[in-house]
Amino acid sequence: MPDQAVSLGRSLAEKRRQAGGGADELPTLILEMGLAAKILTREIRRAALVGNLGLAGEQNPSGDTQKKLDVYSNGVVVRAFTDTGLVAAIVSEEMEELRIISCSPEAEYLLCVDPLDGSSNTDINGAVGTIFSFYRRGVSGACIDCEGELRESAELVAAGYVLYGPSTVLVYNMGDAVDAFTLDDDVGEFLLSHEKIRCPDRGSYYSANLGRYHGWDQNVRAYADHVIEPDPASGRPYSLRYSGALAADLHRVLLEGGIYLYPADEDYPEGKLRLLYECAPLAFVVEAAGGRASTGRGRVLHLRAESPHQRSPLAIGSSDEVATFERFVATRGS
Ligand code: AHM
Ligand code: MG
């Protein structure tokens, strides 16, 4: 361990000090996400030994059959943020309705979370993640229609993800920069490992479920054909990397460049991924790192959610790569 290790707690305290202290509770919320991530790290690692792999049996609001770890992860996250007193309501992939937590004036934030992203990977010891975002409520101190708040007035103020891979990494943006903290198992702390991350403008990796190729629009198929067309001058053919966990594929693109795509297709005419707890949080991270996040036709962050589980197409990663995808979508028709 380097002598000058910076813990997540110390880094957040320093950011709070630089911002002049005050009542901004985002650092407390990020720290709480760090605690939930430590508990989930432990449980994911030992799941095969304590009977926590496999299906739970219920369907989630998106129609996916929940894994035991989905249910467990949702419980950990909901309990963690219920206890802070700072969160008014939670939207989760694993809960049908938005869950009202508190109506007090201190409960200034809305949490949107995918507690266990990529849960099809749990049973094969593959990478999984947690994706989260915090919105500041437009109105505080009243239990009004919070879904309406998300749509009308709430502001996305912090977002990030946790990747449970060979190590656990927490990446977040509170509006200033994107930093990554790696969990040191022996110390029991998230320690700063990547500061002020910049997403390369270009990259030669692409991530997409090519099994869905024949359900895509011809413009999207043309783009998929383009990236594998040999052109050494522009770095093509690109290499395919697809893990089945958005957080893992996004992490590669953020650090090494490239593009992650989940376009609309015949089965998912609005795209498969969910706006509030998958697309928007990662857009908030990637844009702060100099990358781009698009529906193919516009910025993901310009969308307003009409419902908790609203879907969106997603193209995210290096700015030049996403811009090229948008040109294909715009010029080839659909
Ligand atoms: P999940 O959060 O229910 O696991 O689903 C989201 C996942 C993304 O992480 C991943 O990129 C994509 O859905 C995989 O979908 P597919 O199996 O269609 O490729
Ligand atoms: Mg997910």
Side-chain angles (χ1 to χ4, degrees), residues 211-228:
R212 309 196 74 81
Y213 178 93
H214 291 288
W216 292 339
D217 281 349
Q218 62 170 6
N219 46 1
V220 177
R221 292 202 306 268
Y223 176 79
D225 295 340
H226 167 79
V227 297
I228 57 168

Side-chain angles (χ1 to χ4, degrees), residues 93 114 116-118 131 246 273-274 277-278:
E93 179 174 355
D114 180 351
L116 195 69
D117 173 56
I131 305 176
L246 172 58
L273 301 176
R274 278 56 57 109
Y277 45 81
E278 291 176 325

Side-chain angles (χ1 to χ4, degrees), residues 34-90:
L35 177 60
K38 288 183 197 174
I39 295 169
L40 293 183
T41 297
R42 181 194 63 195
E43 203 59 26
I44 290 163
R45 287 188 183 163
R46 70 178 184 179
L49 304 175
V50 296
N52 224 353
L53 294 182
L55 297 175
E58 301 295 318
Q59 287 202 332
N60 72 15
S62 301
D64 303 327
T65 305
Q66 290 177 313
K67 295 283 186 72
K68 289 180 192 167
L69 277 174
D70 281 320
V71 176
Y72 180 88
S73 304
N74 189 60
V76 167
V77 171
V78 170
R79 275 194 301 279
F81 287 96
T82 299
D83 291 348
T84 63
L86 301 172
V87 169
I90 299 176

